[in-house]
Amino acid sequence: MAYLTTTASGQPVLILKEGTTRNRGKEAQKNNIMAAKVIAEVLKTTLGPRGMDKMLIDSLGDITITNDGATILKDIEVEHPAAKMMVEIAKTQDDMVGDGTTTAVVLAGELLKRAEELLDQNIHPTILVSGYRKAAVKAVEAMNKVAIQVEPDDRATLRKVAITSMASKAIGNAKEHFADMAIDAVMQIVEKRGDKNIADIDNVQVIKKTGKSLLESQLVKGLVIDKEVVHPGMPKTVEKAKIALLDAALEIEKTEMSAEIRIRDPNQMKAFLDQENKMLQEMVDKIDASGANVVFCQKGIDDMAQHFLAKKGILAARRVKQSDMEKLAKATGGKISTDLNDLKLQDLGIAGLVEERKLGEDKMVFVEKCKDPRSVAVIIRAGLERMVDEAERAMTDALSVVSDVLEDDKVVAGGGAIEIEVAKELRKFATNIGGREQLAIENFADAMEVIPKTLAENGGLEAIDVLVELRSAHEKADGQYKGINVFTGKVEDMKQKGVLEPLVVKEQAVKSATESASMILRIDDVIASTKPKEGPGAGKPPGGGEMPED
């Protein structure tokens, strides 16, 4: 079952190890395109406000219900290498702009489907790839031409963008509330670097707790630390808090080498323990001398140190995650100290209120009323655990698109409007190129229309009629913002309807889809090394094909 060839004299030569499979030429291309199309088909029905959800059950029986493209592809275990590339598109799209994963994957699948038709007409893959790349550049140009400029303080437009990003999520009438929270959060963390706005949504802490309703989700102008106050004798509430952030243990360090101390006198034992307590007392005195009345420690706090802190009326939490410590520093304006001897008043963070509260079943420490926090927290509530998870995904999308617009101040019309406009421009562009590349560019234009077509199909509309109407609308002078309203089935002005999406999301979707489609099209030989299986079907390649022997 190994891959064999023969010399001129007929002597067999073993080239590849046993169990290796090889697909070549058209067969390899068709196999890869089919795998990519299957992944696109999985996501297609989730697109748009009338998209459906998927129920994913992992090997442990855990259930996820979502229509978020990135989550679906992350949770399904994909085997085929070409299908894995589609999963990578979704991951790249999610990492870069946080939204538009389904669009990117569906577009890549459609580009490959259209390419297959041209491959059947014996058009060379490199001509297709060249045409697709030219089309992608032109598509981005066309998007920029009709993009709408947004001012950073234009809250109404940001709200529309946030609500559009959550249109397909099953959070019902909580969309407006979530959009407002997302805008407030991102506005709080945005920084000016040179002449650019930078909004890193990692500085927004998202906490999920089952219970109450979606509308009781809240934004905290500060942070929520998932730790309890370490000692029952400590205050549970501190107003006008001065916060020490410590990356040092309030414990007596154990020696690295094992040592034996021989004590013959009980007084020596007492002196030994007293010395330990004295050292801990000195540590607490240094904290108290700095003026701190709240301590967040990244490492441990000894029981005796807890007792001394409680006597001083200092609230303390221990083993706080490093990421939370960094967020605390941004929220309170404090500095993380690694040495108690260097702790000074100016290193302390400031908060109006630090309080331990019960959230669901757990106690947490809330750090609130910070003056100008560069890190904030969003608490998401819902009555069902699956709902909390989906609401978190909706919030992440909203945060992502708001930060996208603040960083890159342009939006485009949604509802398939931008795709139809790009397709129109590409068809004009194709006639200037001529030759076989023209066919590839026209195919790219047809592929762009898969987005409005899918939106219409998912809305239960007649896709062909919708496409014809959209194309006709875009030929008119004021038609560049016309898209499909899936709830009414009518072609409407998406700019007026407030259906807006960040330009960078659409640009990244086109770039990612083009790159992955190009890479898959250029593959004409798949050589897979698989371990020989035992039992029925042993040694056969994935997909049931025979092992070639020359």
Side-chain angles (χ1 to χ4, degrees), residues 187-489:
M187 289 284 206
Q188 195 61 58
I189 61 150
V190 71
E191 296 175 41
K192 196 92 173 160
R193 291 187 198 161
D195 58 349
K196 284 197 76 178
N197 286 326
I198 303 293
D200 182 359
I201 62 165
D202 286 345
N203 290 326
V204 180
Q205 182 191 32
V206 179
I207 292 184
K208 304 181 294 183
K209 281 290 165 205
T210 311
K212 298 197 174 182
S213 75
L214 283 166
L215 289 168
E216 286 169 278
S217 301
Q218 66 183 92
L219 175 71
V220 177
K221 289 276 181 77
L223 285 187
V224 180
I225 305 301
D226 195 357
K227 297 287 174 188
E228 293 183 38
V229 172
V230 289
H231 193 280
M234 288 177 178
K236 296 289 186 276
T237 303
V238 175
E239 292 184 0
K240 293 181 181 171
K242 293 187 179 68
I243 303 164
L245 303 172
L246 301 180
D247 184 11
L250 295 181
E251 298 173 323
I252 305 299
E253 287 185 36
K254 303 287 182 281
T255 52
E256 284 186 19
M257 63 197 92
S258 54
E260 188 178 314
I261 303 169
R262 294 175 187 269
I263 295 174
R264 293 187 174 82
D265 185 348
N267 290 330
Q268 283 179 317
M269 186 68 192
K270 186 172 184 304
F272 186 78
L273 295 172
D274 285 349
Q275 184 60 32
E276 267 200 6
N277 289 347
K278 189 181 171 197
M279 288 165 76
L280 291 167
Q281 176 77 62
E282 281 172 6
M283 288 181 186
V284 173
D285 286 344
K286 283 172 188 168
I287 292 168
D288 188 43
S290 73
N293 52 13
V294 175
V295 172
F296 288 108
C297 187
Q298 200 174 320
K299 298 191 166 77
I301 302 177
D302 188 276
D303 290 354
M304 207 65 204
Q306 291 175 26
H307 165 70
F308 292 137
L309 286 164
K311 275 175 73 177
K312 299 271 188 191
I314 296 171
L315 181 153
R318 64 177 166 180
R319 307 207 187 284
V320 178
K321 288 188 295 190
Q322 185 181 346
S323 59
D324 284 349
M325 291 294 282
E326 287 166 4
K327 288 190 181 91
L328 275 167
K330 285 180 177 168
T332 63
K335 287 182 187 165
I336 299 172
S337 301
T338 51
D339 189 345
L340 285 174
N341 294 318
D342 296 338
L343 190 63
K344 301 182 204 65
L345 184 63
Q346 55 264 41
D347 295 338
L348 304 181
I350 307 292
L353 179 68
V354 175
E355 185 174 36
E356 183 187 77
R357 292 179 205 155
K358 203 164 182 188
L359 205 59
E361 289 295 303
D362 306 313
K363 288 178 181 171
M364 293 184 170
V365 179
F366 282 66
V367 181
E368 286 186 317
K369 297 180 184 173
C370 300
K371 190 180 174 192
D372 187 19
R374 286 278 161 254
S375 187
V376 293
V378 174
I379 301 168
I380 292 177
R381 309 301 304 267
L384 191 70
E385 194 180 334
R386 313 266 172 265
M387 197 70 216
V388 177
D389 291 341
E390 187 68 344
E392 182 201 17
R393 288 187 276 271
M395 176 53 74
T396 305
D397 280 358
L399 290 167
S400 299
V401 294
V402 172
S403 70
D404 288 341
V405 175
L406 284 176
E407 288 182 5
D408 182 285
D409 56 354
K410 287 182 180 148
V411 295
V412 292
I418 191 67
E419 286 82 7
I420 292 286
E421 185 65 20
V422 166
K424 181 187 86 175
E425 292 296 319
L426 285 177
R427 287 194 183 97
K428 285 183 196 166
F429 174 63
T431 54
N432 300 334
I433 295 294
R436 293 186 169 200
E437 279 187 357
Q438 176 178 342
L439 296 174
I441 295 166
E442 283 170 352
N443 265 12
F444 198 105
D446 293 342
M448 288 298 293
E449 290 180 344
V450 74
I451 302 300
K453 184 169 176 255
T454 306
L455 287 172
E457 284 169 355
N458 291 350
L461 307 171
E462 199 58 60
I464 301 300
D465 294 348
V466 167
L467 275 182
V468 169
E469 204 179 333
L470 278 170
R471 282 178 188 170
S472 166
H474 277 256
E475 288 302 328
K476 292 172 186 155
D478 60 343
Q480 71 263 41
Y481 303 130
K482 289 281 178 18
I484 179 68
N485 182 338
V486 292
F487 299 107
T488 63

Side-chain angles (χ1 to χ4, degrees), residues 496-518:
Q496 285 178 3
K497 292 291 291 179
V499 180
L500 300 170
E501 298 180 66
L503 172 65
V504 285
V505 169
K506 293 294 183 187
E507 281 183 352
Q508 185 62 45
V510 166
K511 289 172 187 172
S512 300
T514 308
E515 281 172 17
S516 62
S518 300

